[in-house]
């Protein structure tokens, strides 16, 4: 079906709200989609959907309930879809049942086909990161990762050795740098940044604004670094919306947005099927009108 490797990293952190500090949990991941050449890709997705997946990727860390986030990485994401089908058809399940199903799928799959991170918050607001890979289930991790070993090595190279490994946290920019410098062409695309919001009692895709400059800059001592450049020079702004249900971003210069959701699909043959129904796929929208750029249909999960 698709996707080779990917890279997802989860960690327990401290969230500050004024003078108060709360334990929290965040999950960062890439979105690049790499087709498997011998798989019936277009038949699984539909032509328009497949084209958008190839360009804009797929969401690999999904908020499946207010207090539960499931992430996947590997050579065959059809196994991830089997877990999502369990989630959306069962609707009510315990963390233990979810972990058991994920491990069952991991164990039945070929080596390197699928790995999972399951991040949950219990009724006492305690976080749990559970890592399922290498034939093992490892619960209660302070940090955990799945996917690309090269990307993980690049992230670890930025570690602060003045603090213990258990206390180490990584910024979004460090995660992005690891993705860009690791040399693994199976990772890339937009970066999802999920955190648990203790005030709203839910995981959310976090709000942020990114500025990209298209050209290298030579800056003399005392001069300012340009944080924004025009489209002619390859510069652009990306605004990421905060949401507990969809991963959405808008690109200012193009007047278009990308909304990743499993509640809408492109209206085309093969886009609505039981093999890909629950994945969060990209749909392009006109930001100024919030209208889709092609016909879409809404589905229930």
């Amino acid at each position: 079906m698709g996707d080779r490797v990917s890279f997802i990293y989860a960690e327990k952190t401290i969230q500050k709200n004024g003078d108060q500090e709360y334990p929290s949990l965040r999950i960062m991941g890439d979105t690049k989609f790499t087709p498997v050449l011998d798989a019936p890709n277009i038949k699984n997705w539909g032509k328009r959907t497949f084209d958008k997946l190839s360009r804009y990727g797929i969401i690999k860390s999904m908020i499946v309930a207010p207090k539960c986030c499931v992430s996947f990485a590997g050579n065959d994401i059809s196994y991830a879809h089997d877990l999502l089908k369990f989630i959306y058809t069962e609707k009510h399940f315990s963390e233990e049942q979810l972990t058991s199903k994920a491990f069952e799928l991991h164990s039945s799959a070929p080596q390197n086909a699928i790995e999972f991170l399951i991040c949950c918050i219990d009724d006492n607001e305690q976080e749990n990161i559970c890592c399922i890979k290498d034939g093992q289930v490892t619960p209660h991790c302070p940090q955990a990762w799945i996917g690309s070993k090269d990307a993980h090595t690049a992230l670890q190279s930025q570690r602060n050795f003045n603090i213990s490994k258990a206390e180490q946290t990584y910024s979004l920019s460090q995660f992005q740098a690891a993705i860009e410098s690791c040399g693994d062409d199976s990772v890339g695309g937009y970066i999802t940044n999920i955190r648990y919001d203790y005030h709203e009692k839910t995981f959310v895709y976090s709000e942020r604004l990114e500025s990209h400059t298209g050209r290298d800059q030579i800056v003399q001592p005392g001069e300012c670094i340009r944080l924004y450049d025009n489209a002619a020079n390859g510069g652009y702004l990306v605004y990421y919306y905060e949401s507990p249900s969809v991963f959405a971003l808008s690109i200012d210069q193009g007047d278009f947005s990308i909304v990743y959701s499993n509640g809408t699909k492109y209206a085309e043959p093969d886009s609505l099927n039981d093999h890909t129904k629950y994945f969060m796929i990209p749909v392009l929208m006109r930001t100024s009108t919030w209208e889709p750029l092609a016909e879409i249909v809404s589905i229930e999960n």
Side-chain angles (χ1 to χ4, degrees):
M1 177 180 290
D3 223 44
R4 291 190 298 116
V5 191
S6 311
F7 183 52
I8 314 291
Y9 183 84
E11 62 184 13
K12 294 182 180 180
T13 64
I14 298 296
Q15 188 178 93
K16 295 184 178 180
N17 185 4
D19 295 332
Q20 301 293 316
E21 292 187 346
Y22 304 92
S24 190
L25 196 162
R26 70 188 302 217
I27 308 108
M28 297 177 284
D30 79 311
T31 54
K32 186 172 182 179
F33 176 82
T34 306
V36 176
L37 295 180
D38 59 353
N41 286 295
I42 294 179
K43 287 292 185 181
N44 282 327
W45 304 102
K47 185 179 187 306
R48 185 187 297 275
T49 303
F50 183 72
D51 289 344
K52 295 299 181 287
L53 285 169
S54 299
R55 182 168 183 178
Y56 301 110
I58 193 170
I59 302 305
K60 305 166 190 176
S61 289
M62 295 177 56
I63 301 170
V64 298
K67 295 189 175 186
C68 183
C69 178
V70 171
S71 304
F72 55 86
N75 293 323
D76 189 346
I77 60 174
S78 65
Y79 291 97
H81 195 266
D82 289 341
L83 183 62
L84 296 174
K85 185 175 183 179
F86 167 82
I87 290 168
Y88 287 108
T89 55
E90 290 292 326
K91 298 186 184 299
H92 301 289
F93 49 84
S94 66
E95 183 178 345
E96 290 74 20
Q97 289 171 320
L98 178 59
T99 301
S100 177
K101 182 64 176 179
F103 183 62
E104 173 191 319
L105 291 166
H106 170 70
S107 301
S108 67
Q111 187 176 11
N112 300 322
I114 196 67
E115 299 172 344
F116 294 106
L117 284 181
I118 297 176
C119 298
C120 294
I121 309 295
D122 67 18
D123 293 337
N124 297 316
E125 298 297 299
Q126 296 298 307
E127 323 91 347
N128 182 26
I129 301 174
C130 181
C131 183
I132 300 173
K133 68 177 182 180
D134 299 330
Q136 296 181 327
V137 177
T138 308
H140 306 297
C141 304
Q143 308 99 4
W145 63 278
I146 54 175
S148 171
K149 292 182 174 63
D150 291 336
H152 180 249
T153 298
L155 184 64
Q156 289 293 298
S157 70
Q158 303 174 73
R159 179 184 165 189
N160 180 357
F161 285 92
N162 293 321
I163 61 175
S164 68
K165 184 178 180 181
E167 296 175 322
Q168 175 71 63
T169 61
Y170 292 99
S171 67
L172 191 65
S173 60
Q174 287 176 308
F175 184 88
Q176 181 81 58
I179 292 290
E180 293 174 352
S181 66
C182 70
D184 186 342
D185 64 2
S186 76
V187 298
Y190 298 109
I191 302 301
T192 55
N193 183 34
I194 296 172
R195 77 178 195 282
Y196 183 71
D197 187 322
Y198 272 81
H199 179 69
E200 298 294 336
K201 308 298 183 187
T202 183
F203 281 107
V204 294
Y205 294 99
S206 293
E207 179 185 35
R208 69 184 194 267
L209 179 67
E210 290 182 353
S211 176
H212 297 261
T213 55
R215 296 181 178 180
D216 292 337
Q217 300 179 43
I218 299 176
V219 180
Q220 300 298 326
E223 290 184 347
C224 294
I225 298 173
R226 293 194 313 276
L227 298 179
Y228 175 83
D229 208 344
N230 59 37
N233 291 332
Y236 60 98
L237 287 173
V238 184
Y239 173 70
Y240 294 81
Y241 297 84
E242 184 145 313
S243 172
S245 57
V246 300
F247 179 64
L249 58 97
S250 64
I251 299 177
D252 182 62
Q253 284 79 354
D255 188 27
F256 80 96
S257 298
I258 310 170
V259 179
Y260 297 79
S261 166
N262 57 9
T264 56
K265 306 289 183 185
Y266 282 112
E268 61 175 337
D270 300 320
S271 69
L272 304 176
N273 65 76
D274 289 337
H275 303 293
T276 60
K277 175 181 180 181
Y278 299 108
F279 284 127
M280 293 175 67
I281 59 99
V283 171
L284 300 192
M285 313 284 287
R286 182 68 63 202
T287 308
S288 56
T289 62
W290 213 242
E291 293 292 329
L293 299 185
E295 185 181 358
I296 61 173
V297 293
S298 297
I299 62 172
E300 291 186 8
N301 289 318

